[in-house]
Amino acid sequence: MTGETVHKLRGDYSRMRPDYTVDQEWDAYSAGEHELWRRLYRRQQSLVAKYACDEFNDTLAALRFGEGIPRFDAINRKLAVVTNWQLVAVPGLLPDLAFFEHLAHRRFPVTVWIREPEEFDYIVEPDVFHDFFGHVPMLFNPVFADYMQAYGQGGIKAHALGAIEMLSRLYWYTVEFGLIETPKGLRAYGAGILSSGGEIGYCIDNPRPNRIGFDLMRIMQTRYKIDTFQETYFVIREFRELFDATAPDFTPYYAELRGREPHAASALLAGERVLHRGTGSRDESH
Ligand code: PHE
Ligand code: CO
């Protein structure tokens, strides 16, 4: 996740390297912090079983990192042989370009600190639980892993073209809040959903939000909300769709989008087909 601003963030940015990385300092986590991880993990584990895509759940089960805040080094040994990604420890959100540079080199920045117990259900900035639980399992999927790297390369280009706002919407509506249509129904693959106790059920079961088919240009023209559950989710059919749709040079896309007014997060356009609920079992009012 990129940060529009890097001031007033809660991480300790005083001891980082020029590429914004730090040492994880795993030994410095307290027993209480590991206990908080276990609680977060346990709650989320039962939710993802119902709402996450198989690609996520299968990896989560194989990795077994529920016993405490994981050591990044240990996961890196496994990631290296599967998709050649690596986790790097960071103090928190990074400036856009630094973030893109890491992704372009198949390095995923993971925040080292964990939220306070009072923030069990909601945090403003991503912490180690969001970054690790939400993002890391998907990095083991080869197609998704390649998409993430391509996104980083695209980010460097978008930065040069002044198009980060448009490209960031793509990250938001796929990597953070993406849904996928599966034979079992709609499932989540976006990390912002997968690490959230409330939104994971909402995004699939609640009748309120719009769920519409993945459409690259539509996404890059759509604003998003950062302080509420999403009003619109975009649904892919397979991970290959993400990779293929984003393969072309975006330069002419950005030029076209620049002349258009962005859609509101809640917009539903003429002719758009809204997808039905997946499991349809609950009606949380919100
Ligand atoms: N192909 C895009 C470009 O040329 C880069 C990109 C790849 C963007 C994957 C997003 C995701 O800008
Ligand atoms: Co994230």
Side-chain angles (χ1 to χ4, degrees), residues 170 173-174 177-181 186-187 189 193 203-204 206-223 230-238 241-242 263-278:
L170 179 64
Y173 282 119
T174 61
F177 292 96
L179 298 182
I180 183 166
E181 190 151 35
L186 289 181
R187 292 289 183 271
Y189 71 89
I193 301 172
C203 73
I204 290 175
N206 195 291
R208 178 177 292 188
N210 298 325
R211 300 173 187 84
I212 56 188
F214 175 85
D215 177 335
L216 178 65
M217 293 297 273
R218 167 70 157 87
I219 289 174
M220 291 204 288
Q221 200 183 337
T222 305
R223 298 187 204 278
Q230 300 305 301
E231 296 175 305
T232 301
Y233 300 94
F234 291 93
V235 183
I236 61 169
R237 277 160 301 191
E238 50 174 355
E241 184 178 3
L242 279 182
H263 301 302
S266 59
L268 190 62
L269 310 182
E272 269 174 356
R273 192 172 67 91
V274 178
L275 299 165
H276 289 287
R277 294 192 269 159

